[in-house]
Structures are given as structure tokens and as C-alpha cells.
């Protein structure tokens, strides 16, 4: 669920405190991993309100407030202006009836009992990065951000559903371990894991949900369930790729960890004239590279003009990385800039997250941190086969149109592909790479154009964590053959459909 953003739309290479080039996530994410797909606020309000029955009686908000160990924020409270906001300012017009900052599973259960009694809409929120703004609504927002503890013991990490990725990385790195996760430092681990969790170490260690051993979740009827392979196995299966906000409110996760090590970080840049060659060479190289190597190809158009970048991380030696980069560079041609350096695991995650020059505390949203908000629109594809020459030409032509906008291709394969498509709810195990389309602001015209142009070449597959309000056949796009089983899990654990996202299972 992940990701944090601002500045111009292109990735920007800055200097860190050692004078080395880094990637500023405030710019990188604008063009990369976390640009939320946008629905207009009025349309979102209508979708959320019309999906619910009318209220049965006036809610007794004071009673709910007294029953929480956390905090209830209501319209008129001094904190309401901040509490109702998501990462994306486009959704600031949405005014929830209340925001419950839950401090425990019992708080979540009390909140769900309250919305059941009063027939209110309810929305779960972890980091508030839903691409379509579906981390908010017109009823009660159940916010789990205060359940953010990260604990480590015996090779296992127990992580509160509201923990931000930067805190997961930082705390676990202190023990010499990590979990495969996303990039944006301010994304909540809850939404990320529930939707699958594609990240920079996925080719080596799998998706975030592949490292998940158990999840504690509060279901629609208020039960607190510990789910794993033996206990509520169907619900556990659904929580690994079925998307957040569908089956209950997750409050904590237990993950297997992997030992961390220093990483090579690399940045290569070519002029726009090399765009077709770079796309052709990269897609033939990146998905089949050794698991230790992950890379992303950026095709970006901004006010400074279009450009081509390949960025990535590598877990092996510098000599091995140079050997692995040689064939793709030979096919594309000499880059106009090339930067490779070795750094710690935590610093590499900060580089990929765009806050390499900040402290861990500063890699949080303002006002406590230094990371701000920004408006984006986004769409996605998952490539199950390489683009043909016609497909390559089509993508390059669309990015070359007046911007600002970007297309990012993130390599998959490796450990992701060695899991059966039905082993978890995430079905896209044979995808070669993900394709992310981003446009600054709330205008979706270029996004719709490029998505339509690329559909004949890439098909209709999409990633639920890049949720797209435009999609018609979204069940098939997100879940493929796993959609039917997800519907059965939904019927078993939320038969009255308390949780009703516009694109809810």
C-alpha cells in the first residue's frame, strides 16, 4: 500500500552529504512508485455514500469516544483538519464523520460495533496512500497508525499495521535484518502487505506478503482473529494480495526476516534518442537477471525535456554488478552519466525512498518529519510478455507527448515468480515487470490515452495496490483466476458487506 512525493515530475539526482548522487524521493516518487490514481472528490463521495444504507439513528459519538483507549476526532475538533487528510491533497474535500485513531484491536472492534449499530460507512486507514483516495470516506475512518510498534525476536518481526516503512526498515536494520517491502518511507505496512508488496528486494526475497507468517485482523463482526496457514487459512490466503479494506482491519503482522548486507546502488542515464533502445534492451535483460539484481527503467517527460534512466540495487560485489550491467549498456550505448556506489542497507532504502539526506525521524510526513504531500494521477499494467517493436514505439511516442508525465517499469521475476499464482491472492507471478503511468495533478487525460494505447500490447492486468478507479473489469485485472476464491472468503467473513470499497471484493 505504498508510497510520498513533490517537486517536478522527473526523477532528480541530487548530492547526499558525502557528495554522492542520490535519488530525491520527493521527486522520484512523483514520477515513480507512489503517485495516487485520482478520482474526483465529489465522485468519491458519491461512490462511498451511495454504497451504504441510510443511518438508522443519530450516532452517539460521545459514547464511542469514551469507549476508546485511542482518540476520536470529530468535525469541529482542532485536530480534524489534519486527521481527515490523506497523502494526496486532491481528496481533502472528503469530510469523514469521524476519525478513530485506534490504539488497540479492542478499539477497532468498538469502532466496527459502532458503525454496525448506526449503519455508517467505514473505511480502514493505515498510511493513507490509497491511489484512489479510498483511505477515507463519509463515515468513520478507522485509523491504525498508532499501532506502529516494530519488534524483532528469533528471526521474526512483529509489525503493527500502522508502522511506516521507514520505521520498519530502521528498526529491523538495527538488528541486522529486514523484510521485503516497498519504497516510499511514509507508506503504512498494512496496505502494502495486504495488496502484495512489490519492492526493490522482491526479486531476491519475494513480495512483502511472501514473508508474512501470520496476521491479526478484526473482522466485520468484531472478532479478533490470528490467521496463519493453520488458523483461518482462507482468510490468511486472502490477506496476502487480496487488497486492504476488504475483509477486516488488520492490526499486526508477523514476518520472516532476512539478514541484511551492504548494497550497490546504481544510476544510469541516456538521452531521449536512446529511449526505444533502452526499453528493448532493459525488458530483455532485467526480468531474467540474477535475483541479487533489481532495476527500474524510467521514461520521463517534464519541463526540462524527456529522458531515460535505469536505476537499481544489487546485493553482490561491485565487480559482479559491472559484469551484469555490461550487456545492457552495450545494447543501449554509452550512458551520459553513470553512478555506482556501495552503501548500507538502511541508507539504500532511504536512497530509494528519496530521503537519503534526511534522518530517519525526518523521513516522516510533516509536521513531525520533512516529507510533504502532492497531487498525482496514476494507472498501471503488468507485463506478462515483452513489448513487441510496435509496443516499444507506442510507449516511447506516448511519453514523448507534452508532459509532465512518466512511465516506470519495475523488474519482477526471480523469487516472485517461484511462487504459484494461487498460493497467495496475488496472481501476477509470471509477470515480467510492472508498468506505472503517472501524471502530475488530477488530470487523467494523458493517463487514459497511454493506458488505452498500451492495452493491446500489455493486456488488462493491474496491481491492486495501484488501485485505479477507471478500470471496468477490475476483478479480473487485479485478481485474475483468484477472484472467485476471494469472493468466497468475503462471503464467509463479511457476509453483510460492512466493508464496501467502490472496487471492493
Amino acid at each position: 500500500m505504498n508510497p510520498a512525493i513533490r517537486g517536478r515530475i522527473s526523477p532528480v539526482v541530487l548530492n547526499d552529504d558525502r557528495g554522492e548522487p542520490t535519488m530525491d524521493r520527493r521527486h522520484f516518487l512523483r514520477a515513480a512508485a507512489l503517485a495516487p490514481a485520482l478520482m474526483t472528490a465529489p465522485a468519491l463521495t458519491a461512490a462511498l455514500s451511495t454504497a451504504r444504507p441510510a443511518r438508522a439513528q443519530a450516532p452517539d459519538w460521545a459514547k464511542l469516544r469514551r469507549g476508546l483507549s485511542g482518540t476520536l476526532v470529530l468535525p469541529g475538533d482542532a485536530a480534524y483538519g489534519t486527521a481527515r487528510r490523506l497523502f494526496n491533497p486532491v481528496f481533502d474535500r472528503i469530510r469523514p464523520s469521524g476519525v478513530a485513531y485506534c490504539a488497540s484491536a479492542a478499539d477497532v472492534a468498538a469502532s466496527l460495533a459502532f458503525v454496525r449499530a448506526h449503519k455508517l460507512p467505514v473505511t480502514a486507514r493505515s498510511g493513507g496512500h490509497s491511489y484512489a483516495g479510498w483511505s477515507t470516506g463519509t463515515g468513520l475512518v478507522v485509523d491504525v497508525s498508532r499501532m506502529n510498534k516494530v519488534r524483532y525476536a528469533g528471526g521474526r518481526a512483529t509489525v503493527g499495521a500502522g508502522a511506516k516503512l521507514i520505521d520498519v526498515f530502521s528498526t529491523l536494520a538495527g538488528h541486522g535484518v529486514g523484510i521485503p517491502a516497498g519504497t516510499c518511507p511514509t507508506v503504512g505496512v498494512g496496505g502494502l502487505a495486504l495488496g502484495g508488496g512489490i519492492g526493490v528486494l522482491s526479486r531476491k526475497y519475494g513480495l512483502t506478503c511472501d514473508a508474512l507468517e501470520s496476521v491479526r485482523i478484526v473482522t466485520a463482526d468484531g472478532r479478533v482473529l490470528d490467521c496463519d496457514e493453520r488458523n483461518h487459512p482462507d482468510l490468511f490466503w486472502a490477506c496476502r494480495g487480496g487488497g486492504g479494506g476488504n475483509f477486516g482491519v488488520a492490526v499486526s503482522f508477523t514476518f520472516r526476516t532476512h539478514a541484511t548486507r551492504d548494497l550497490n546502488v546504481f544510476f544510469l542515464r541516456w538521452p531521449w534518442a536512446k529511449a526505444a533502445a533502452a526499453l528493448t534492451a532493459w525488458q530483455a535483460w532485467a526480468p531474467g537477471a540474477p535475483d541479487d539484481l533489481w532495476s527500474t527503467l524510467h521514461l520521463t517527460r517534464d519541463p526540462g525535456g524527456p529522458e531515460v534512466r535505469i536505476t537499481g540495487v544489487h546485493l553482490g560485489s561491485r565487480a559482479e554488478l559491472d559484469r551484469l550491467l555490461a550487456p545492457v549498456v552495450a545494447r543501449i550505448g554509452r550512458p551520459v552519466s553513470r553512478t555506482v556506489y556501495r552503501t548500507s542497507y538502511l541508507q539504500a532504502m532511504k536512497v530509494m525512498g528519496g530521503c537519503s539526506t534526511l534522518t530517519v525521524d525526518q523521513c516522516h510526513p510533516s509536521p513531525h518529519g520533512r516529507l510533504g504531500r502532492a497531487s498525482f494521477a496514476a494507472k498501471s499494467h503488468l507485463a506478462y510478455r515483452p513489448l513487441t517493436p510496435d509496443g516499444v514505439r507506442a510507449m516511447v511516442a506516448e511519453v514523448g507527448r507534452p508532459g509532465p508525465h512518466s512511465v516506470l517499469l519495475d523488474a519482477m521475476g526471480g523469487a516472485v515468480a517461484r511462487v504459484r499464482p494461487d498460493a497467495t491472492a496475488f496472481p501476477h507471478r509470471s509477470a515480467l515487470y510492472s508498468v506505472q503511468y503517472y501524471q502530475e495533478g488530477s488530470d487523467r487525460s494523458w493517463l487514459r490515452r497511454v493506458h488505452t494505447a498500451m492495452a493491446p500490447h500489455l493486456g488488462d492486468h493491474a496491481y491492486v495496490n495501484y488501485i485505479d478507479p477507471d478500470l471496468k473489469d477490475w476483478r479480473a485485472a487485479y485478481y485474475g483466476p483468484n477472484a472467485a476464491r476471494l469472493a468466497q472468503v468475503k462471503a464467509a467473513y463479511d457476509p453483510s458487506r460492512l466493508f464496501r470499497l467502490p472496487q471492493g471484493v
Side-chain angles (χ1 to χ4, degrees):
M1 272 202 148
N2 224 302
I5 315 169
R6 51 247 29 97
R8 63 193 183 95
I9 195 166
S10 65
V12 175
V13 174
L14 303 178
N15 289 327
D16 68 8
D17 52 4
R18 302 178 305 152
E20 293 172 327
T22 71
M23 190 163 293
D24 181 350
R25 189 61 173 181
R26 292 175 299 172
H27 294 80
F28 171 73
L29 279 176
R30 181 151 219 152
L34 263 283
L38 304 176
M39 182 184 232
T40 63
L44 176 60
T45 303
L48 292 170
S49 60
T50 57
R52 308 288 185 159
R55 298 181 183 179
Q57 61 188 49
D60 186 349
W61 293 100
K63 182 178 180 180
L64 176 61
R65 176 173 274 156
R66 291 191 300 270
L68 298 179
S69 58
T71 304
L72 178 64
V73 180
L74 300 174
D77 291 344
Y80 181 76
T82 299
R84 67 184 177 84
R85 294 193 304 186
L86 303 183
F87 170 76
N88 193 329
V90 164
F91 307 113
D92 283 355
R93 295 180 183 178
I94 307 302
R95 301 184 64 85
S97 301
V99 177
Y101 286 99
C102 296
S104 65
D107 279 0
V108 174
S111 297
L112 297 184
F114 184 81
V115 298
R116 287 197 310 272
H118 298 289
K119 295 184 168 53
L120 287 172
V122 62
T123 307
R125 185 172 77 186
S126 174
H129 282 269
S130 169
Y131 280 28
W134 296 339
S135 301
T136 190
T138 58
L140 181 64
V141 174
V142 177
D143 185 290
V144 299
S145 61
R146 294 188 182 176
M147 289 183 274
N148 58 7
K149 300 298 183 185
V150 181
R151 299 179 177 88
Y152 173 75
R156 303 291 185 273
T158 301
V159 182
K164 303 292 189 290
L165 292 190
I166 186 61
D167 296 317
V168 176
F169 292 140
S170 175
T171 302
L172 295 182
H175 296 279
V177 299
I179 62 172
T183 47
C184 178
T186 62
V187 161
V189 73
L192 176 77
L194 293 170
I198 297 173
V200 301
L201 295 178
S202 292
R203 302 192 71 255
K204 179 67 174 180
Y205 300 113
L207 304 176
T208 307
C209 72
D210 294 336
L212 185 62
E213 288 195 336
S214 67
V215 57
R216 176 167 289 182
I217 187 168
V218 184
T219 53
D221 57 5
R223 289 180 295 163
V224 181
L225 303 180
D226 289 310
C227 307
D228 55 28
E229 292 284 5
R230 292 183 298 177
N231 301 292
H232 306 282
D234 285 343
L235 183 56
F236 180 60
W237 175 86
C239 288
R240 289 176 291 161
N246 278 313
F247 308 101
V249 180
V251 295
S252 71
F253 302 87
T254 299
F255 298 100
R256 292 185 304 277
T257 61
H258 59 79
T260 58
R261 63 181 102 163
D262 289 351
L263 303 173
N264 298 310
V265 180
F266 61 91
F267 310 89
L268 309 175
R269 183 169 61 88
W270 289 267
W272 187 247
K274 293 291 188 177
L279 177 49
T280 300
W282 180 88
Q283 69 171 354
W285 166 78
D291 294 1
D292 283 354
L293 178 68
W294 171 87
S295 65
T296 178
L297 171 65
H298 296 188
L299 304 175
T300 299
R301 176 73 184 235
D302 70 5
E307 65 176 15
V308 181
R309 293 182 185 272
I310 293 178
T311 299
V313 299
H314 176 248
L315 286 83
S317 69
R318 171 65 185 269
E320 182 184 3
L321 175 60
D322 288 341
R323 179 181 62 80
L324 291 171
L325 290 175
V328 72
V329 169
R331 291 190 64 182
I332 302 170
R334 184 183 179 89
V336 297
S337 67
R338 174 175 177 147
T339 301
V340 182
Y341 64 92
R342 195 165 184 83
T343 190
S344 69
Y345 163 80
L346 177 58
Q347 184 63 19
M349 295 304 101
K350 289 170 66 179
V351 170
M352 292 294 109
C355 62
S356 61
T357 61
L358 304 179
T359 67
V360 168
D361 286 343
Q362 290 170 336
C363 293
H364 285 84
S366 60
H368 305 293
R370 298 257 308 265
L371 301 182
R373 307 164 72 216
S375 301
F376 285 82
K379 297 177 78 68
S380 74
H381 273 124
L382 285 151
Y384 277 65
R385 61 183 183 272
L387 287 172
T388 64
D390 285 345
V392 169
R393 284 190 290 269
M395 181 173 286
V396 171
E398 292 301 327
V399 178
R401 294 181 181 277
H405 47 242
S406 295
V407 176
L408 289 95
L409 290 74
D410 293 344
M412 295 176 65
V416 176
R418 289 193 288 275
V419 178
R420 294 193 329 272
D422 62 351
T424 68
F426 180 89
H428 305 296
R429 299 294 179 169
S430 60
L432 302 176
Y433 51 87
S434 65
V435 182
Q436 306 171 63
Y437 312 99
Y438 290 101
Q439 184 171 4
E440 186 174 357
S442 58
D443 182 6
R444 301 182 67 83
S445 56
W446 177 81
L447 290 174
R448 289 168 176 147
R449 179 187 179 99
V450 67
H451 192 268
T452 299
M454 297 311 301
H457 307 284
L458 293 170
D460 298 316
H461 312 288
Y463 178 32
V464 69
N465 274 356
Y466 304 151
I467 203 157
D468 181 351
D470 285 342
L471 291 183
K472 303 302 181 188
D473 192 8
W474 51 267
R475 286 182 179 84
Y478 298 147
Y479 305 122
N482 291 338
R485 184 177 175 187
L486 284 168
Q488 293 172 353
V489 177
K490 178 70 170 180
Y493 288 92
D494 185 16
S496 62
R497 301 191 67 81
L498 183 72
F499 301 105
R500 298 189 188 182
L501 293 171
Q503 291 180 353
V505 171

